[in-house]
Amino acid sequence: AAVLGNMAAYHLHLKTYDRAMSHALGALEICRDFQADVVSLVFALQHLAVAASLRTYDDVAARMVNLARAAHLLGYIDARLEQLDIEREHTERFGYVDLLGVLRASFTAVELAHMMEAGKNWTEERAIAEAEKLAR
């Protein structure tokens, strides 16, 4: 899961978002079904949110739905990292900064804060289900 997560992060850096999403989904599947690795799971969720936020969309409405979903996920991710007392390493900070930039450009500060606050209360199951919707 950690290797797939790292591959997702590198593909984000290369701007190959579909490949990043594929690797992040693979990491998520391993964490969910085979290996209880909370850290890899949280970063797989982040990589999915970043890839979904940065890729190109033909449908503006679908893009906005996914951006809102990513904002909620980011709230969940931030809360889990704080609970685990884990800081983002370089590869995770890179995606995080890009994601925040897109979200700040797409929503008002109040809207973004509200979505992230709501995401903090999501369960792991909800976060996984919402992240999987980003890949569709």
Side-chain angles (χ1 to χ4, degrees), residues 111-123:
E111 290 170 329
L112 182 56
H114 177 72
M115 287 184 274
M116 289 180 67
E117 188 63 34
K120 287 181 182 180
N121 298 314
W122 279 6
T123 63

Side-chain angles (χ1 to χ4, degrees), residues 74-104:
L74 190 57
Y76 172 81
I77 293 160
D78 285 349
R80 286 297 285 147
L81 290 175
E82 186 176 323
Q83 289 172 346
L84 297 167
D85 195 29
I86 292 176
E87 293 186 25
R88 289 174 174 89
E89 293 189 22
H90 176 73
T91 53
E92 284 76 28
R93 282 194 309 265
F94 169 79
Y96 178 76
V97 168
D98 284 351
L99 177 56
L100 272 179
V102 170
L103 294 175
R104 287 177 177 153

Side-chain angles (χ1 to χ4, degrees), residues 13-61:
H13 185 71
L14 295 171
K15 298 180 182 2
T16 50
Y17 302 121
D18 288 339
R19 293 192 78 185
M21 195 167 286
S22 176
H23 290 302
L25 281 170
L28 188 63
E29 182 180 340
I30 289 170
C31 292
R32 184 189 61 221
D33 297 338
F34 302 108
Q35 174 188 10
D37 180 350
V38 178
V39 176
S40 291
L41 181 127
V42 170
F43 287 132
L45 294 172
Q46 178 177 301
H47 298 324
L48 282 167
V50 173
S53 297
L54 297 178
R55 72 181 180 186
T56 304
Y57 287 86
D58 294 327
D59 182 349
V60 175

